[in-house]
Amino acid sequence: MNIGFIGLGNMGAPMARNLIAAGHHVTGFDTAANPDGIPCAASVQEAARDADVVITMLPNGDILRAVAADIHPAMRNGSVHLDCSTVDVASARDVAQAAETAGLSAVDAPVSGGIGGATNGTLTFMAGGDARAFETVSPLFDIMGQKAVHCGDAGNGQAAKICNNMILGVTMIATCEAFVLADKLGLDRQAMFDVVSTSSGYSWSMNAYCPAPGIGPQSPADNDYQPGFAAALMLKDLNLSQMAAQAADADTPMGQAARDLYAQFVEEDGMGDKDFSAMLPRFAARSRP
């Protein structure tokens, strides 16, 4: 395929390289980067022109809306706008509607798997939008990731992503709290892991991404909490979850509590560039209020 790829940051650049390695013709664009090995255009319109699929990987909904307004008039009738950004549901649905009005198809497909998944082609895509458009871009998902799930109508990919990451934020905080409580009760961390990881406290946060250094599989905790998934990005996703909860009139007290704790961690403690699992040393340094 001829592919335009707009947004060549830490996630977008390796995704684009994997598409090039698989034989696709990729023309990229980024306002701040011109990564090695990716042919780049001088404008978003140039990157989008004559493409079968235009992929966007952008920071937020406002930027997505602005880029969509620029690229949709330049895109070939019937081509697909595949947005892999993580944005609010309303922006995803509005961009999909704009694409349809312009004679295009749209798929919102945020990803899970981080920079490592983008580099290794093992991302998970949660996709919303037209089923026919999803089938069109499915071969690209197979290159950039290991799994893609069609979640329904436009915006449902974003809905799935923020629901998943709300669970992740809550369970990571609970896992970190439990390790600190275990420490203060005199329970060895390895013993706690051996029990919890094989009983009803089992979770991805404990078993696959343990926040305690030297316990369980290798994780950012073993590298001074250098980010696999930065706390600032977790805060972004939790903010999106609470925006969606407010719009949908959904009661999410644990999601709100997790958002508030990560807001303090990132905005007050200045720890946004640490891994989101660095909540463990935060709790370890504190006493009960």
Side-chain angles (χ1 to χ4, degrees), residues 192-241:
M192 182 183 133
F193 176 85
D194 291 344
V195 170
V196 174
S197 65
T198 56
S199 60
S200 56
Y202 175 105
S203 72
W204 188 87
S205 295
M206 174 65 77
N207 290 59
Y209 207 89
C210 184
I215 307 295
Q218 190 84 7
S219 73
D222 299 305
N223 188 30
D224 192 33
Y225 297 98
Q226 293 306 301
F229 184 53
L233 294 177
M234 174 53 77
L235 176 60
K236 172 191 171 181
D237 288 354
L238 290 169
N239 279 330
L240 291 173
S241 78

Side-chain angles (χ1 to χ4, degrees), residues 14-231:
M15 292 165 69
R17 289 192 187 101
N18 286 337
L19 293 171
I20 292 169
H24 293 288
H25 302 284
V26 176
T27 302
F29 178 83
D30 193 285
T31 57
N34 190 355
D36 292 341
I38 304 172
C40 286
S43 67
V44 290
Q45 293 91 342
E46 183 182 338
R49 196 170 291 120
D50 298 324
D52 301 302
V53 176
V54 177
I55 301 173
T56 47
M57 177 60 92
L58 301 167
N60 58 55
D62 289 341
I63 294 174
L64 171 63
R65 289 171 186 265
V67 168
D70 285 339
I71 65 173
H72 287 176
M75 290 174 64
R76 181 173 50 76
N77 189 61
S79 57
V80 181
H81 179 185
L82 170 58
D83 179 50
C84 295
S85 317
T86 296
V87 301
D88 58 288
V89 174
S91 290
R93 289 177 174 161
D94 287 349
V95 166
Q97 182 59 57
E100 183 177 341
T101 301
L104 311 170
S105 298
V107 176
D108 57 286
V111 304
S112 179
I115 296 170
T119 301
N120 298 323
T122 57
L123 295 169
T124 295
F125 292 85
M126 296 145 272
D130 179 72
R132 191 172 300 173
F134 175 80
E135 291 300 323
T136 297
V137 299
S138 286
L140 306 184
F141 293 145
D142 292 340
I143 295 164
M144 297 184 290
Q146 61 182 351
K147 187 176 182 65
V149 179
H150 187 222
C151 300
D153 294 339
N156 282 9
Q158 301 294 344
K161 171 72 181 285
I162 62 176
C163 289
N164 179 79
N165 280 21
M166 185 173 73
I167 293 170
L168 178 59
V170 170
T171 56
M172 181 55 76
I173 286 173
T175 302
C176 293
E177 288 182 350
F179 269 113
V180 172
L181 178 59
D183 291 343
K184 295 191 174 186
L185 293 173
L187 174 62
D188 178 75
R189 285 182 172 184
Q190 184 64 55
M192 182 183 133
F193 176 85
D194 291 344
V195 170
V196 174
S197 65
T198 56
S199 60
S200 56
Y202 175 105
S203 72
W204 188 87
S205 295
M206 174 65 77
N207 290 59
Y209 207 89
C210 184
I215 307 295
Q218 190 84 7
S219 73
D222 299 305
N223 188 30
D224 192 33
Y225 297 98
Q226 293 306 301
F229 184 53

